[in-house]
Amino acid sequence: MIERPLTRRVLLRATASAMAASGLAAPALAADAFPSRPIRLVVPFPAGGGTDLVARTLGEGMGRELGQPLIIDNKPGGGTVIGSDTVAKSPPDGYTLLLTTSALPINATLIRKLPYDTVRDFSPLALVCRGPNVLVSRPDSRYKTIADVIREAKARPGKLTYGSSGNGTAVHLAGELFKSLAGIDITHVPYRGAGPAMTDLLGGQIDFVFGTPGGTGKFVDSGKMRAIAITSAQRSAVFKGVPTIAETVPGYEADVWYALYAPGNTPPDLLARLNAAVRKSADAPEFRKRVEAEGLSVAVNTPQEMTAFERAEEGRWHKVIVDGHITVD
């Protein structure tokens, strides 16, 4: 009788059985075998938007690195709460992930009764990319600099108006942070999405809009809008020559960012395996090209660094929301 070499799967099964019989766990073997089936990547936004675009491009690369496809599952609704809750209540086995934005730490304060605990029920996996929001005006506006805006706002409190894509959104809070640090009063006008806000700015119904690079870029490039300043701490290569708000208002920073999370209590070895795949995927030229076209830059960090970043973001927006009496109503 010819003896056949044992396959890796048989060896793993035999070793695991022996360990189970002796009462020992086999975490290393489980991690080594991961993943053995497709991974679900939940996006709490509709298909076709910026977050969905990042998820699909990143997911393709991660699938190649992991040897299993990442299946995109768009679950919009509830200001990202529905999709986030799906992941919060999933097993911590690495097979369900969340790609979201600053909405997660913002909602921790903004929404009073969340179905999950932001700290307990999520394991931060990696920051993926980040970039500035943009303050824009019409090209014929007399407000050309942040100093112009501040000067006029102090002369006429509450008379200037800025639009955003809605109450409690990241761009709304970027405006409220600006007001707080600059010590001015500008009236916020919320819209149901960025499109109507841009339309009213072009029509002269409002003075400014705080928007994302993807939402404002085409208007700035075509000369239909003027980029007054960006919200990142440093200037951006995408918005050449455009100053930061921080150059006039020290300490100001309000980036748009995208990050991956796993369910709470996901084992560190699985987080490390997934984080390595994120790094490889984000380093790919096609991913960099895609996110840079959206005015973003790759900014992958470790699970530990992402945890610290998440906590800092939650603290920052908690103060803005509470001090500004901001609600989603």
Side-chain angles (χ1 to χ4, degrees), residues 83-112:
S84 299
D85 189 45
T86 297
V87 175
K89 290 180 171 54
S90 295
D93 56 10
Y95 287 100
T96 305
L97 304 176
L98 174 72
L99 193 141
T100 190
T101 66
S102 56
L104 190 69
I106 286 171
N107 284 345
T109 299
L110 188 67
I111 299 177
R112 293 182 181 179

Side-chain angles (χ1 to χ4, degrees), residues 65-296:
E65 291 298 324
L66 293 167
Q68 291 287 346
L70 268 72
I71 309 301
I72 307 300
D73 185 4
N74 295 97
K75 283 190 169 296
T80 75
V81 171
I82 291 176
S84 299
D85 189 45
T86 297
V87 175
K89 290 180 171 54
S90 295
D93 56 10
Y95 287 100
T96 305
L97 304 176
L98 174 72
L99 193 141
T100 190
T101 66
S102 56
L104 190 69
I106 286 171
N107 284 345
T109 299
L110 188 67
I111 299 177
R112 293 182 181 179
K113 294 183 179 180
L114 287 171
Y116 52 77
D117 183 283
T118 306
V119 173
R120 181 192 64 215
D121 295 332
F122 296 95
S123 296
L125 172 54
L127 184 67
V128 177
C129 53
R130 63 191 300 176
N133 290 301
V134 190
L135 177 63
V136 294
S137 65
R138 293 182 303 281
D140 60 349
S141 169
R142 68 177 185 273
Y143 310 115
K144 297 179 173 61
T145 67
I146 285 295
D148 292 338
V149 177
I150 294 173
R151 187 182 308 112
E152 184 71 10
K154 288 186 174 180
R156 297 193 301 137
K159 298 301 182 182
L160 298 184
T161 55
Y162 80 92
S164 79
S165 54
N167 277 327
T169 58
V171 284
H172 170 206
L173 297 187
E176 294 302 302
L177 181 62
F178 169 55
K179 289 166 54 176
S180 174
L181 293 180
I184 57 176
D185 181 16
I186 300 177
T187 300
H188 173 234
V189 182
Y191 290 85
R192 290 186 178 276
M198 300 300 176
T199 298
D200 273 10
L201 176 62
L202 293 172
Q205 280 74 45
I206 54 178
D207 296 304
F208 316 101
V209 164
F210 272 91
T212 64
T216 60
K218 61 183 178 181
F219 295 106
V220 174
D221 291 343
S222 65
K224 293 181 179 179
M225 292 182 186
R226 174 192 295 132
I228 296 176
I230 58 176
T231 65
S232 54
Q234 306 295 328
R235 292 198 181 196
S236 167
V238 176
F239 292 92
K240 290 182 171 62
V242 179
T244 66
I245 291 177
E247 290 172 37
T248 304
V249 183
Y252 181 90
E253 183 179 7
D255 277 0
V256 54
W257 52 264
Y258 300 87
L260 279 166
Y261 295 81
N265 295 317
T266 297
D269 54 350
L270 290 183
L271 293 177
R273 176 86 171 91
L274 290 163
N275 186 272
V278 174
R279 289 182 181 278
K280 288 285 186 67
S281 180
D283 278 341
E286 60 267 28
F287 183 77
R288 288 183 177 275
K289 182 178 180 181
R290 182 64 63 87
V291 299
E292 286 170 2
E294 295 293 313
L296 305 167

